[in-house]
Amino acid sequence: MNFLWRHTRDIFVVALFFCAAPSAYASENDSDARAVFIAKQNACLGCHSVNKKIVGPGFQDIAAKYKNNSNAGVYLKNKILYGGAGAWGVVPMPANSKLSDADLSILVPWVLRGGQGLN
């Protein structure tokens, strides 16, 4: 009986390992999909795209500008929440004060990844 239990346990551990790997990948894709949804619902895409300037800079340009800045997440969270001008020119970014902290916690890392998953 001990022999059977040991092998059943090993199979279970291996199965868990293979199930966990795709879920980690799916989790990042789910996060990107949620960020795209938040960006669309809050009119971010009226001024920003992935790789070109519309009114504001593209998400890839934002990611490149702040890639070595350890405070980028906090800075961008405040910029999105309170708006402002001067970082990318004279056109002000409007405040998005209706965004929740949870939504900002999804949106900001996505912007810092260059807007992945946006088609």
Side-chain angles (χ1 to χ4, degrees):
M1 189 68 163
N2 191 19
F3 176 80
L4 181 61
W5 168 247
R6 187 170 8 124
H7 289 291
T8 303
R9 186 188 66 208
D10 292 345
I11 292 170
F12 181 73
V13 169
V14 170
L16 280 177
F17 174 77
F18 284 108
C19 290
S23 69
Y25 179 74
S27 176
E28 185 174 309
N29 285 344
D30 292 345
S31 179
D32 288 346
R34 177 74 180 137
V36 170
F37 176 78
I38 294 167
K40 287 179 179 180
Q41 292 298 106
N42 291 281
C44 302
L45 305 179
C47 295
H48 301 278
S49 74
V50 172
N51 59 0
K52 65 180 178 180
K53 179 179 178 159
I54 298 177
V55 174
F59 296 126
Q60 290 177 351
D61 291 336
I62 296 169
K65 180 174 183 172
Y66 297 107
K67 75 177 181 178
N68 294 320
N69 183 337
S70 60
N71 295 320
V74 173
Y75 174 78
L76 289 177
K77 184 177 180 179
N78 286 323
K79 188 67 135 175
I80 293 167
L81 195 59
Y82 302 113
W88 295 91
V90 297
V91 177
M93 179 170 160
N96 291 282
S97 57
K98 65 183 176 191
L99 281 168
S100 70
D101 192 55
D103 285 348
L104 286 167
S105 295
I106 293 170
L107 192 60
V108 169
W110 175 76
V111 170
L112 289 172
R113 289 192 306 272
Q116 293 176 349
L118 181 62
N119 295 330

